[in-house]
Amino acid sequence: MGKLVIVGTVAFDEIESPFGKTDKILGGAATFIGLAASQFDVDSAIVSIVGDDLPQAYLDLLESKGIDLEGLEIVPNGKTFYWKGKYHNDLNSRDTLATELNTLADFNPVVPEGYKDADVVMLGNLHPGVQMSVIKQMAKRPKLIVLDTMNFWMDNALPELLNVIEHIDVITINDEEARQLTGEYSLVKAAMKIQQMGPPYVVIKKGEHGALLFHKEHVFFAPALPLEEVFDPTGAGDTFAGGFAGYLAATDNLSFNNMKRAIIHGSNLASFCVERFGTERMKDLKKAEVDQRLHQFKALTQFDIELE
């Protein structure tokens, strides 16, 4: 069983989409990454911070999935990070209505002693300084460090972000962010430029249009599964990253071919996440459902063709 350290937010989300709206519900990058990774035979721990206003039921859910919470700091009388957003009709664009950092504003991550030798570190979307702090706390260089980031950090903490990028193996960002980071419109050129910054593997997420994996001259594309219903894309990117990192930690195989499989597993799990609000779909997801949908992914991409 591989060890996985997950760094990111455990948060309250309040979401409105064309299909309805929620009150405060469980969200956050580390939450979705952890739930996705729990589908694999992996020993995972979350490093994050919350206030004591987070319901015990949410902590119980994470622990019920075998996620170690020793690295989750609970601040007495503190308030948990809160985000409120409204999605437009196409579900690809959204407006942030409120962001309250709360306890996250003073977050100093502490990796539990038992996880400082983890094989895989998944750095969820947070300030690059926090991400770098976790890398430095590891007792040995992990076999794989995966970084997720966003345009906010490119705008507000670019030097720190570039420093972290030098120390990682895989970066996962969306197409808009890849273009912003590199100044290249072509995603092929953007991926090449990012590899020159440090990470040998670049994953560019394209939402409902799938994901691209780049390594040297190799490119792999995974489609997104066409779905009848999409309610809430909030946790999809983090679920994708959790499936990707969890599968690699579980299989202990970092070849390009296995990363292709990891991309498919990540895409597969993300397709479930968007079918309900928040963590609703992921918390009771059964292996049989996951396997059945993997067969759909296979059918979606397999074909016979005769070539001269």
Side-chain angles (χ1 to χ4, degrees):
M1 181 186 293
K3 272 188 187 176
L4 170 66
V5 168
I6 299 163
V7 188
T9 51
V10 176
F12 286 124
D13 286 343
E14 191 173 334
I15 298 156
E16 185 176 342
S17 86
F19 301 99
K21 58 183 178 179
T22 72
D23 293 323
K24 281 186 177 180
I25 57 174
L26 176 62
T31 300
F32 287 107
I33 292 167
L35 290 175
S38 72
Q39 289 290 324
F40 307 99
D41 186 21
V42 62
D43 177 8
S44 65
I46 281 178
V47 177
S48 191
I49 189 169
V50 295
D52 59 6
D53 57 342
L54 193 79
Q56 183 63 40
Y58 291 167
L59 302 176
D60 293 343
L61 167 63
L62 295 172
E63 288 191 314
S64 74
K65 300 297 183 183
I67 301 168
D68 189 294
L69 298 184
E70 186 185 343
L72 178 64
E73 181 183 352
I74 302 175
V75 180
N77 302 314
K79 294 181 72 176
T80 300
F81 175 74
Y82 166 74
W83 177 82
K84 181 178 182 179
K86 180 177 182 179
Y87 285 91
H88 299 181
N89 285 337
D90 64 356
L91 291 177
N92 286 323
S93 52
R94 68 187 184 191
D95 298 322
T96 293
L97 305 179
T99 301
E100 297 173 12
L101 290 177
N102 298 327
T103 53
L104 193 65
D106 301 310
F107 179 37
N108 292 307
V110 179
V111 179
E113 285 297 324
Y115 287 87
K116 287 186 176 179
D117 62 346
D119 308 291
V120 178
V121 173
M122 177 66 231
L123 300 171
N125 177 33
L126 277 175
H127 191 289
V130 172
Q131 295 172 325
M132 197 68 215
S133 170
V134 169
I135 293 174
K136 288 179 177 177
Q137 288 179 52
M138 303 306 291
K140 61 182 177 67
R141 174 62 162 84
K143 294 178 181 177
L144 190 75
I145 302 175
V146 185
L147 170 78
D148 189 42
T149 192
M150 66 181 297
N151 48 10
F152 179 83
W153 305 119
M154 296 173 198
D155 292 334
N156 296 286
L158 184 59
E160 297 101 314
L161 176 58
L162 291 174
N163 183 38
V164 177
I165 288 174
E166 284 182 25
H167 291 82
I168 62 166
D169 304 295
V170 185
I171 186 171
T172 70
I173 52 177
N174 68 29
D175 43 3
E176 176 192 347
E177 292 154 354
R179 289 175 173 131
Q180 178 175 339
L181 184 60
T182 63
E184 296 285 355
Y185 184 80
S186 160
L187 294 180
V188 175
K189 287 183 178 178
M192 290 170 62
K193 196 171 271 191
I194 294 170
Q195 288 179 67
Q196 292 167 6
M197 297 175 184
Y201 298 91
V202 176
V203 176
I204 298 180
K205 300 173 289 186
K206 292 169 61 65
E208 63 178 324
H209 303 297
L212 289 155
L213 169 66
F214 296 89
H215 175 57
K216 296 180 180 176
E217 71 278 8
H218 303 293
V219 185
F220 174 70
F221 173 71
L225 195 70
L227 298 170
E228 289 184 31
E229 292 185 315
V230 176
F231 275 75
D232 173 21
T234 306
D238 295 312
T239 300
F240 170 87
F244 177 80
Y247 178 79
L248 291 173
T251 54
D252 192 26
N253 176 352
L254 303 181
S255 67
F256 184 73
N257 277 337
N258 204 48
M259 284 204 184
K260 291 182 186 179
R261 289 186 278 270
I263 290 277
I264 293 293
H265 279 283
S267 298
N268 189 44
L269 290 171
S271 76
F272 287 102
C273 179
V274 301
E275 291 182 329
R276 296 289 182 272
F277 282 107
T279 60
E280 202 61 37
R281 190 68 174 93
M282 299 303 294
K283 67 181 186 181
D284 298 317
L285 190 58
K286 303 290 188 292
K287 187 177 186 304
E289 295 178 279
V290 176
D291 290 347
Q292 181 183 11
R293 192 163 285 185
L294 277 173
H295 284 291
Q296 289 179 253
F297 259 97
K298 192 173 181 182
L300 188 68
T301 56
Q302 263 197 341
F303 59 90
D304 291 318
I305 187 169
E306 289 188 18
L307 297 172
E308 292 293 332

